[in-house]
Amino acid sequence: MCAVIEATDKMPEKVRIILRWCVLIAIIAVATGTSVAMFLYMLDRVTQVRWQNEWLLYLLPLAGIGIYWLYRKAGAPAAGGNDTILRVVS
């Protein structure tokens, strides 16, 4: 590890900045690629389950009613929208 630090100390400033950005970009690219791959895998699995169980389609209205009820019950503080968030933060 010390050899890496010593090597970067001898580099010109612009090279160190470019190297730092390349490392950051690589980390972000790996995280983004992993997230997208997981999303697509889960989407494929959910699609398979949906096609294997066609009766699930008829539960969608019940799910909508449940979400509406949950929002009305627990989401009252969010009714103010962004103004509520700004008021709480400041």
Side-chain angles (χ1 to χ4, degrees), residues 4-52:
V4 173
I5 294 172
E6 289 176 15
T8 55
D9 286 343
K10 295 176 184 175
M11 287 185 207
E13 183 67 23
K14 289 183 181 182
V15 173
R16 278 191 292 182
I17 291 172
I18 290 172
L19 184 63
R20 183 180 304 144
W21 276 106
C22 287
V23 169
L24 287 173
I25 288 170
I27 292 169
I28 292 170
V30 167
T32 303
T34 303
S35 299
V36 169
M38 261 192 329
F39 173 76
L40 291 175
Y41 172 76
M42 295 303 290
L43 182 63
D44 187 47
R45 292 290 301 140
V46 168
T47 302
Q48 288 176 5
V49 170
R50 188 262 178 256
W51 283 111
Q52 291 171 357

